[in-house]
């Protein structure tokens, strides 16, 4: 663990990080030391090097954490100029890039003894400084990255490195390049995508956000997910099952496949993570309409290949549906989970399975070449 440039004992770091988050949320949110405890954990894939544990028995549906919208780090609360970052008008940074640039700027000022520009997120920056840094592949040297050549993880790492370098070139005096890499690794492992009220033009818009406190939990699919309470203007995390005293609280950060796990922590995860494969929309004449349908239905634009099953075939069926079968009846049946009649969707099934066979064949060939 690190605190500025000092090494810190894991238990001491956990206690200090917990106090920092409590100061951030004090009087406005819920992060109770009577209910929760941070402990160091030995897990490469932990976002922070900590785990969150229940101090007492928890009932199903009980409120565990609450983060007011003003303490959520997202596009509406970013104040880069107040944190010493003056972006030029032609910077063309994405919202994700602005977020991890903000993390870097806040931690740079906190490590230097500042208060993050008197920001409410100064305590969050100090909690991040007390967390361990994931062993993301963006820290690997050239020789180490060669081990990944021919994989999706290599392609994704090269893309991320180019974007991190671009962000640094836009504001080279705001933070060090190494600090940006640390902030990116934290963002990649700890950010959530969730609805935060939308906007007048995009009421269903899903946002990328950092949720202080909640992002100290370890990831597990199918468990508790944070959600926005519009009436209270806060993000809440509730127990989806009863917990015993001393039991760890896990959070679902969203789907993570082996590529995400390798890029985020430098090591593959459990075999159940599988591999995500994007659905083919780029050459389809109805790609724009299909993309809108995927967004409205909130279906992932990818299929997930696991050892014993293929998930999200409905998204692949929609993407590969030829023009003559792309009808309101077929799309409605997919959305309702009803089986598609062979007479009306024969080519859809053929093209979906042909795409899977072709892409799996390409990956198998690449793996065989790497093994030689």
């Amino acid at each position: 663990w690190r605190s500025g440039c000092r090494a810190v004992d894991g238990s001491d770091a956990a206690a200090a990080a917990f106090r920092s988050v409590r100061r951030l949320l004090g009087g406005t949110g819920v992060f109770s030391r009577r209910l929760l405890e941070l402990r160091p954990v030995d897990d490469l894939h932990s976002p922070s090097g900590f785990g969150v544990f229940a101090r007492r028995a928890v009932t199903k549906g009980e409120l565990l954490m609450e983060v007011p919208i003003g303490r959520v780090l997202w596009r509406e609360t970013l104040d880069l100029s107040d944190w010493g970052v003056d972006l030029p008008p032609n910077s063309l940074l994405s919202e994700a890039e602005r977020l991890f640039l903000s993390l870097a700027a806040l931690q740079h000022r906190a490590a230097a003894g500042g208060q993050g520009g008197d920001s409410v997120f100064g305590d969050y920056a100090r909690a991040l400084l007390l967390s361990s840094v994931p062993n993301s592949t963006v820290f690997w040297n050239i020789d180490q990255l060669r081990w990944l050549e021919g994989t999706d993880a290599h392609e994704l790492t090269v893309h991320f490195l180019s974007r991190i370098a671009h962000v640094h070139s836009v504001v080279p005096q705001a933070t060090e390049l190494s600090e940006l890499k640390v902030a990116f690794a934290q963002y990649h492992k700890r950010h959530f995508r969730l609805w935060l009220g939308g906007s007048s033009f995009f009421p269903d818009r899903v946002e990328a956000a950092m949720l202080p406190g909640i992002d100290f939990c370890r990831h597990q699919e199918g468990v508790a997910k944070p959600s926005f309470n519009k009436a209270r203007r806060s993000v809440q995390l509730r127990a989806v099952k009863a917990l015993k005293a001393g039991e760890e609280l896990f959070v679902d950060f969203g789907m993570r496949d082996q590529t995400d796990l390798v890029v985020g922590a430098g090591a593959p995860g459990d075999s159940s993570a599988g591999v995500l494969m994007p659905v083919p929309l780029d050459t389809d004449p109805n790609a724009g309409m299909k993309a809108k349908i995927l967004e409205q239905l909130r279906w992932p634009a990818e299929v997930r290949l696991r050892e014993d099953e293929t998930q999200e075939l409905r998204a692949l069926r929609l993407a590969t549906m030829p023009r003559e079968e792309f009808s309101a009846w077929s799309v409605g049946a997919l959305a309702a989970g009803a089986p598609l009649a062979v007479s009306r969707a024969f080519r859809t099934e053929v093209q979906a399975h042909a795409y899977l066979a072709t892409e799996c064949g390409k990956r198998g060939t690449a793996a065989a070449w790497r093994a030689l």
Side-chain angles (χ1 to χ4, degrees), residues 80-85 103-119 125-126 129 174-175 179:
L80 285 166
S81 60
D82 192 41
W83 304 334
V85 180
L103 292 177
L106 285 166
Q107 290 178 86
H108 178 85
R109 294 170 71 84
Q115 300 297 315
D118 296 325
S119 165
R126 283 182 281 279
L129 286 170
T175 66
E179 292 173 321

Side-chain angles (χ1 to χ4, degrees), residues 19-31 68 71 123:
R19 288 193 298 271
S20 291
V21 176
R22 277 188 52 78
R23 283 195 299 269
L24 172 70
L25 302 179
T28 61
V30 174
F31 195 71
R71 298 296 190 269
D123 283 310

